[in-house]
Amino acid sequence: METHTFLKDAFEYTYHFNQELIHLFENNKNCIPEKSMQLLNHLINAQQIWNERILNEPNTIGVWEMRSLKNLKTINQQNYNQSLNILETITLDKKIDYKNSKGIQFSNTVQEIIFHIINHATYHRAQIASDLKANGIEPINTDYIFYKRNTEATQNIK
């Protein structure tokens, strides 16, 4: 699989399971642990921040800023669309100079940043799963291979 195609697929996976978590949270509003809500906000905020850095746009959100589930659903969609646009319009080896949330200057390629966005979201979804389970809520399986099996099975049905 070509790199752009794989990264697009990885963004689709990230978007899909972020949306699934938002649905799970909506269906369990009264018992979602605060930590899980913070982590979900953080992983969606981080993708927005990284997209803004790649596009050399001003930062519009705090790393740990809290937003409503309805807003998160919309922002997750916007992040996904913007990330796909980045894949289509910016070369993966382009160096991006940016400052982190502490104001320290760094430089990474678009490909490194994109991999970080996807990996970062996966890491925090795993933390959310552990937190939900510890609080008596059945987490969803967000494994990439599980996603691929289900999307391939759905395509084979058609």
Side-chain angles (χ1 to χ4, degrees):
M1 182 183 292
E2 194 261 330
T3 303
H4 274 83
T5 304
F6 175 74
L7 292 173
K8 181 181 178 200
D9 183 64
F11 274 131
E12 289 171 358
Y13 154 73
T14 298
Y15 166 76
H16 172 80
F17 279 119
N18 288 350
Q19 291 295 81
E20 289 294 314
L21 276 176
I22 292 167
H23 292 301
L24 177 69
F25 282 31
E26 287 172 332
N27 292 335
N28 294 278
K29 283 181 197 169
N30 298 327
C31 55
I32 295 296
E34 183 66 22
K35 179 181 177 184
S36 289
M37 192 62 169
Q38 290 170 345
L39 289 167
L40 180 62
N41 271 272
H42 172 69
L43 72 90
I44 291 174
N45 293 348
Q47 184 173 356
Q48 181 177 340
I49 290 166
W50 282 110
N51 283 343
E52 291 168 347
R53 287 174 180 164
I54 292 170
L55 296 169
N56 198 28
E57 295 176 352
N59 184 11
T60 59
I61 191 74
V63 175
W64 291 100
E65 192 168 320
M66 297 294 285
R67 302 190 263 195
S68 72
L69 291 172
K70 182 179 178 183
N71 286 344
L72 286 179
K73 191 181 294 186
T74 301
I75 294 159
N76 189 46
Q77 178 72 56
Q78 291 168 347
N79 285 345
Y80 171 66
N81 291 337
Q82 192 170 51
S83 294
L84 292 184
N85 185 56
I86 287 167
L87 270 178
E88 294 170 10
T89 60
I90 301 176
T91 60
L92 294 176
D93 61 349
K94 179 181 179 180
K95 282 281 190 179
I96 304 296
D97 297 320
Y98 62 92
K99 290 183 180 178
N100 70 3
S101 59
K102 296 178 182 174
I104 302 169
Q105 185 76 33
F106 291 97
S107 182
N108 290 94
T109 66
V110 170
Q111 182 169 319
E112 291 166 341
I113 293 170
I114 286 172
F115 180 75
H116 172 72
I117 291 168
I118 295 161
N119 192 55
H120 180 258
T122 301
Y123 171 76
H124 287 305
R125 282 193 303 268
Q127 287 182 308
I128 290 168
S130 293
D131 190 41
L132 291 175
K133 190 167 189 131
N135 285 278
I137 301 168
E138 187 63 32
I140 56 176
N141 184 344
T142 62
D143 289 343
Y144 178 75
I145 202 70
F146 176 79
Y147 170 75
K148 291 306 291 181
R149 288 178 193 150
N150 284 335
T151 55
E152 287 175 14
T154 302
Q155 291 171 354
N156 289 336
I157 292 172
K158 293 179 183 177

